[in-house]
Amino acid sequence: MAHLLLIEDDAAIRTTLLRALRERGHAVAASHTAMDGLQTALAERPDLVVLDLGLPDLDGRELLRMLRAVSAVPVIVATARDDETEIVRVLDAGADDYIVKPFTAAQLDARVRAVLRRGGTGPGEAALTVGGLRIDAGARTATLDGASLDLTPREFDLLHHLATRAGQVVSKRELLNEVWQIPYGGADKTVDVHLSWLRRKLGETAQEPRYLHTVRGVGVRLSGPA
Ligand code: CA
């Protein structure tokens, strides 16, 4: 199961694909314009985006460039234009794969799974462990001493990013950058609030940390209990 974002303006196609992909166990969000799609991609940080090239407000290829400037999310382009030049262009513009309309949900699902496997964010990716914490990026699940943690997508991303840098102090600037995708500005307070929620879910406090260690004036470090 993956968290997908479908950007498609055709209501009939959108509804059919939404239902079919959900039946296949994916969590799917949908947008019917390019700008809404871009915002949703940044806010929800899906595992993969399925992007229709013919959108009402902006050419899908233009959206792909904008998305690529701020995110490495895998993108499958859905195109009615099955000419080779077009396909080469979208792959050059940063698409991970393409699918030519009309296609079935089963075909799309197969592409989605293939791209996620290739990208290393699929269910096959090895889980990260830090002490009693286990973080599975493919399944987007985390457990602490075998008990599953009920995390929001943002809390999960935060924990996952810290786990990839386990043992090192990570600055709030880097977290705003990597987890919130805010390249400039942004408030440290945002990070602090989410860290305090995460801390509560890990059953610890800032005063008596087990995993999340604040290094005053520098950032935060995730490490296993001594
Ligand atoms: Ca369209």
Side-chain angles (χ1 to χ4, degrees):
M1 113 115 197
H3 180 184
L4 310 178
L5 170 62
L6 176 64
I7 308 176
E8 166 66 68
D9 63 316
D10 185 309
I13 297 178
R14 198 170 61 238
T15 310
T16 309
L17 288 179
L18 263 180
R19 192 170 48 225
L21 289 169
R22 282 175 181 156
E23 275 167 9
R24 285 175 163 75
H26 299 297
V28 194
S31 295
H32 63 280
T33 64
M35 290 326 285
D36 182 67
L38 183 61
Q39 277 171 9
T40 308
L42 294 181
E44 299 200 4
R45 310 203 62 215
D47 302 318
L48 184 143
V49 173
V50 179
L51 171 64
D52 172 32
L53 280 191
L55 292 167
D57 53 335
L58 195 65
D59 186 82
R61 232 171 42 222
E62 206 43 52
L63 175 61
L64 181 57
R65 283 203 193 87
M66 293 165 74
L67 194 56
R68 272 291 161 268
V70 290
S71 165
V73 64
V75 175
I76 296 177
V77 159
T79 173
R81 317 162 197 178
D82 63 345
D83 68 281
E84 212 174 327
T85 329
E86 180 63 29
I87 288 164
V88 169
R89 271 202 213 121
V90 298
L91 293 174
D92 278 348
D96 295 86
D97 203 353
Y98 66 93
I99 189 163
V100 176
K101 290 180 175 181
F103 54 84
T104 64
Q107 287 168 337
L108 177 59
D109 186 36
R111 294 288 174 97
V112 166
R113 283 183 284 117
V115 167
L116 289 178
R117 266 199 308 275
R118 217 163 62 204
T121 54
E125 187 183 353
L128 296 167
T129 57
V130 180
L133 267 175
R134 186 173 189 283
I135 297 126
D136 185 333
R140 292 186 66 82
T141 55
T143 56
L144 175 58
D145 301 328
S148 93
L149 292 168
D150 183 19
L151 304 178
T152 64
R154 189 75 83 191
E155 288 162 359
F156 180 85
D157 291 340
L158 180 58
L159 182 62
H160 179 255
H161 187 78
L162 291 170
T164 63
R165 304 276 313 270
Q168 299 167 28
V169 182
V170 180
S171 69
K172 290 174 190 174
R173 177 68 266 155
E174 175 176 333
L175 292 171
L176 283 167
N177 237 315
E178 298 294 327
V179 178
W180 275 264
Q181 310 265 311
I182 301 173
Y184 311 102
D188 284 3
K189 185 92 186 124
T190 308
V191 178
D192 291 338
V193 168
H194 283 81
L195 280 173
S196 78
W197 290 337
L198 186 56
R199 196 166 260 139
R200 197 176 311 161
K201 290 186 180 174
L202 296 178
E204 60 184 56
T205 62
Q207 291 69 38
E208 289 183 49
R210 288 179 70 221
Y211 286 91
L212 282 176
H213 304 266
T214 299
V215 181
R216 204 169 287 281
V218 187
V220 63
R221 184 186 74 238
L222 181 74
S223 53

